[in-house]
Amino acid sequence: MKRPVLFQEEVSTNHETGLAVSSSFLQETYQRSSTDLNENTASIVKAIPGLPFKENTAVHTDRLQQFLNCDPLKTHIIEDDQQSVQSLSEERNFVFLSNKIEPSSVLETAPLSDDLKKELTRKKFLGPSFTESYCWPPVARGCDVVVISYEGNDPFLYIPPVLTFLQSGSCYKGLPNRNGPLALILCPGWKKAQLVFELLKTYEGCSRQLHPMLIILGQNKEETRSVKIRGCEVIVTTPYSLLRLFEHQSLLFCRLCHLVLDEIEVLFSDATEQVFTILDCYKKAIITEEWEYSPHQIIAVGTHWNKHIAHLIKEFMNDPYIVITAMEEASIYGNVQQVLQPCTYSERTAVLLKTLDFIDNNLQKVLVFTNSVSEAEMVHEALKSNSIFSLKIHKESEFNFKYILEQWTKKYSSGTHVVLVLTDDCMQSLGITDATCVIHFSLPSPRIFGQRLHSMSDNFCNVIEDSSVDQEYIKARSVILIAENSACHALGILRYLQHAEAEIPPELHDFTAKMLEAEEDKKFSRPLCAYLKIFGICKNRTVCPDRHQINLQIDMPQNIPDRVTRTPACVTILPLHIVNATNYFGRIVDKQKDQYTILAEEINDYFKKPSNKTSVKNVEKLAFYGLCEETLFHRVQVVEIPPKEEEDLFFKVKIKYIDEGRISQVQSYQLLHLPARFQRLPPQAVEFVICRVKPIDNEIEWNPKVTSYIHHKIKGKLHEAKIVHTLGNTVWVDPMVRVTRLSDLKISVNEYNVRSEILATGLGTDNPEHITQLQKLCGHVEVLDHAKNLKPLGKKEDTADPQNVSSPQNMSVQENSTENHNSSKITLESHPCDGVAQTKEAEDSTLHQRKCFYPEIKWFQNEETVTVKVKIASEADCKSEFSKEKVVFSACSGDKIYLADMELYQYILPEKSTCVIKDKEAIIVLTKEKKGAWCKLLKKKNPRVSFDFEHWEDFEDKSPFPVGTKNLYCTTAVTEELVDSSEDSGTESDE
């Protein structure tokens, strides 16, 4: 059986391309393909169900109590610099190959044409990168190639060798004499396709005339029919555009020799069906006699392995060269079995011992990786005390590397386990690649994680071969012990597990949910995500730097007339700066008396006098100034002043046109002193977003064709629009219509609807979920409105019958009651409160309360009732509403809002339940629908809800449970309600 080859090579310098479009630029401008393996991400390899592992990965709840309840914001963070392995990623690169390849690391020996080499040298291209040195040779020979690399979104991985191969015109003489491309490059979207096309145009002069074409087609069939490909030998397009063209160009594949799949994981994620349709067409086209002596090649490049790549290799490729320089991805390709073992920090050693007990007899070589010398010593002693033969190595170890390698490579009898405990800084010196199991006693950084997996590379499977031939060969396994202090890597683990389609333990889901929220909290002061505003969703939340939740301090209405926010209705808007097809900046115009129009006239009259044009000497950030642009004068604000040297008399500053929304750069001397009277009117620029329309084909950005069309159609023209939502300085409108008034006929005519115009281009489609997502995002408005309308419960007409004030009720919400800023935010997934009275799904009703303070609650019960005591601030206006299965309590005290949406464990009688206020407590009495004891108050546990032990003895005398079950009941109640609240949380009951 042919096994994969793995190389480990030293790289003395980092090769830089010197291209006009570099890899870093690609990552910055095309985020949809950004790798998740960044500084905050850890990696896990795919779990294969067919590979046995005797230890059940499900962990009992009691064993994980500490792990599940830990606060991710308070967990100990393991710094990467403690691992002392900085040199690992700097000195060496690793490559995983299915077939041996001699790398071409120098431009002079690279398999490129002489003209292309000269052009690259002229552009100061230093030489192939590490990945390019391995993938260029097979691509230039016309072989099928799969490349997975951290730089897998760089088109330079394939463009130079493909251009070189296309030089040899003699290879294509056997093709039919028809119109059709020789090479087809499929990109995941129009933006990447445009970038690839520009690179081709840059270097096409180094080869014979190929006449490349960029084809991006919408749903307009007339446009598709008009496309002519005569003489074109290279087409750059997207899967959707190609299939639209294929409907009218049936001979599109008749001469196709080279099919390139750029960012393969994104293509398979966003257009799986379309990509395989294209592959089927290509496969059918090459099964003809005319193709017998003609080249045919498929090239797939990307940053992540995808499950569909294996099918691509087996069904459509011929003995492909697989080049993987991202070791985490190589382990997925190699079918490394991943086992995740959640445990508490103190239990790690016990779990390690149990793991070793269940390792199969044929798995003999085990590496246990630790993060420190002390940890390595501790693990080694624990193994020795349990009669497990083990070796150890670290920087302070007395044994040398030669001795360890002799012991490791020594032949042992079947069933013997060789266990080596080591730290990460010993990996390269040992150079082990034949381990059969790696145990991560402590989690490392993402890159180090992949290099640990490299220790098993000899046992990686080759998916090109039929795995059924040698089942024993697929035995590489990685075991991860994840404890409560692993929070810094838990989020990355979940992301990688999802990418690898491995089974994720439910315990990790719950814990990681807190981590995701903590990650979003770090972005709390950032601007609201533009994709969220324009489309309602953000596909790249894990890498998006902006926030996806409401910050009331930032998102309160700004620069919007009060009359608009009080009574949202139709307004007249003037778009002045077009960002894209559905996102503009402009002004809301008051037709009766527009204050800005008056101000603009005054400003222009003022600056017409030369004596008033006083240049500013000392420019200050955030200050307001005047600026002359042609014949008009504008109010501007300085938003950024770059660092400047003392000798610079003039320098550029970044400014914002506060009445238009544009951002620009001007020379500092162009700024004019603006009198205070011209600064009194607030900035007039408002951001407008058109609702319910998005780009076609799962694109995340508008095609420039649409933006250009809308720009020329609407800029500077008055439109009538209906406001749907208002948030910060952003207004969502639906519809937005250009109205033309015919004065002679005394009528008005709707000239066009902007949304309809976008759809008519064929590059936009309906987005029905847009407004729904906005309602979820803006749910805080209804919470605030509810708080303003709260009625005091202390009034006589609201006082409950004293006889009902004897049993506690429960109020529970899955609330992470943190600090002040958490009280003024709401996540994208949260739902609107709808007056808090409506009984929505429990999941929605709990989520929207996260952004209010969750009160401290204690409860007790008797056979007929449940009494809930809610601790509140003094002089609070409270309100509670009851339904059969839930209770919603809300209170407003000063600037704080308290909200508890409790989904009850069992049903109650709403009409017989009540709430009264006494001192600093709201006492809620719930009447049970069926008599009997409740083992808990809420369906879902909440750390702010606990059992009131002051009333435990009262209930004990009347307990319906048989003798011997009282302790069980008490334990259940305590466990479910997490009675670990502060000592001052208890208050006297009112009996």
Side-chain angles (χ1 to χ4, degrees), residues 166 172 175-176 178-185 210-213 215 229-237 242 245 249 251-259 282 291:
L166 289 171
Y172 309 105
L175 296 174
R178 298 169 184 165
N179 287 320
L182 295 177
L184 174 64
I185 302 177
L210 301 174
H211 306 290
M213 287 183 64
I215 299 178
I229 59 173
R230 183 181 300 275
C232 167
E233 296 195 355
V234 180
I235 288 179
V236 183
T237 185
L242 182 68
L245 180 63
Q249 303 276 356
L251 300 179
L252 190 62
F253 293 91
C254 69
R255 301 179 75 246
L256 186 63
C257 296
H258 310 275
L259 177 59
Y282 176 68
W291 282 77

Side-chain angles (χ1 to χ4, degrees), residues 551-600:
N551 182 339
L552 293 182
Q553 295 179 351
I554 299 175
D555 296 326
M556 292 299 289
Q558 305 168 15
N559 305 340
I560 300 172
D562 292 339
R563 60 180 178 81
V564 173
T565 57
R566 286 196 304 266
T567 57
C570 290
V571 294
T572 301
I573 67 176
L574 181 65
L576 297 170
H577 173 53
I578 313 303
V579 179
N580 57 49
T582 55
N583 186 206
Y584 332 122
F585 283 87
R587 294 191 290 109
I588 296 177
V589 179
D590 191 330
K591 293 183 178 180
Q592 297 178 353
K593 184 180 180 181
D594 187 42
Q595 293 181 333
Y596 177 76
T597 302
I598 299 172
L599 177 67

